[in-house]
Amino acid sequence: MNGLAARIHDALPQTQCTRCGYPDCAGYAQALADGQAGINQCPPGGAEGVARLARLTGREPLPLDPQFGTEGPRAMAVIEEAWCIGCTLCLDACPTDAIVGIHKRMHTVIEAHCTGCELCVPVCPVDCISLEVETPGRSGWQAWSQAQAEAALRRYKLHAEHRRANDKRKSGQEAPAVAEPQAADTRKRSIVEAALARARAASQQQQRPPAAKP
């Protein structure tokens, strides 16, 4: 990033939510510096965030563009652990590694690391992730802090490093299987379907009335 892009990046909340239309906060900052994006595309930053960007870019303040979302309280991801099938899709989607768990085992959210980006919700195949209001009555930078933004950025960078390392490792280990992507997709679907079946069976078992005592 050039000097202006770096200053813009420092002024963003670093939720990495992609709601601005760019893959991360750095991408939005660079687009702003290049004059290719508006200053009103970051809902997590809210009106105060727009004002910050207006001062940095010399542009006139604007209301948030509703096509990118609206300002509101910060949300927290919550996993209904009884329904979690351990598919790990949310682990890949979370930009700050705020979700922990292993394959076929229950996952949970580390609240201190969650930015409320909402990216984990649409990838969950069993809809066991919901959002709860974390900061009632406070939104934008009133619901966030510079220290939290800096911590989120550090975790995002670590997440990106881990992803690159995993991709490199997988490319070496799975090179012979590249010619058969459909087989891999079929295997993944079968794993998810089997896990779903186990989750349904467990739920039915929980809902079954206890046997009458003799």
Side-chain angles (χ1 to χ4, degrees):
M1 291 184 290
N2 59 32
L4 177 58
R7 292 193 296 276
I8 292 172
H9 189 234
D10 289 342
L12 294 174
Q14 304 301 329
T15 58
Q16 315 300 339
C17 67
T18 74
R19 293 167 71 185
C20 61
Y22 292 87
D24 55 18
C25 295
Y28 179 45
Q30 189 62 62
L32 267 173
D34 293 340
Q36 298 175 352
I39 61 173
N40 58 343
Q41 295 178 205
C42 177
E48 181 179 338
V50 173
R52 290 185 178 196
L53 299 179
R55 288 193 295 269
L56 285 170
T57 60
R59 304 187 199 178
E60 289 294 323
L62 296 168
L64 275 172
D65 189 333
Q67 70 172 307
F68 299 101
T70 57
E71 180 175 350
R74 184 165 64 89
M76 174 73 65
V78 177
I79 296 177
E80 182 59 51
E81 296 175 350
W83 286 98
C84 177
I85 62 174
C87 69
T88 74
L89 295 177
C90 59
L91 271 67
D92 294 333
C94 180
T96 57
D97 291 334
I99 302 176
V100 294
I102 59 175
H103 188 53
K104 296 185 180 181
R105 293 292 185 271
M106 178 185 71
H107 298 354
T108 192
V109 177
I110 302 175
E111 294 185 4
H113 298 164
C114 179
T115 66
C117 70
E118 306 181 13
L119 293 175
C120 58
V121 176
V123 302
C124 178
V126 292
D127 294 328
C128 72
I129 304 177
S130 60
L131 297 170
E132 294 186 359
V133 173
E134 181 72 6
T135 59
R138 292 181 290 125
S139 62
W141 279 100
Q142 298 301 314
W144 199 232
S145 70
Q146 192 62 41
Q148 287 172 306
E150 292 169 0
L153 178 58
R154 288 193 297 270
R155 295 197 61 80
Y156 177 64
K157 289 180 177 179
L158 286 173
H159 174 79
E161 290 176 7
H162 295 159
R163 178 183 292 177
R164 284 192 294 268
N166 287 336
D167 288 346
K168 186 178 295 184
R169 175 178 56 80
K170 289 179 180 179
S171 65
Q173 292 178 352
E174 300 175 5
V178 171
E180 301 179 6
Q182 291 183 346
D185 290 342
T186 300
R187 180 175 178 274
K188 181 179 287 187
R189 283 197 298 272
S190 66
I191 290 172
V192 171
E193 288 169 359
L196 280 167
R198 290 195 301 272
R200 294 190 190 101
S203 176
Q204 291 172 359
Q205 185 66 30
Q206 291 174 357
Q207 295 174 4
R208 187 175 300 166
K213 294 182 179 180

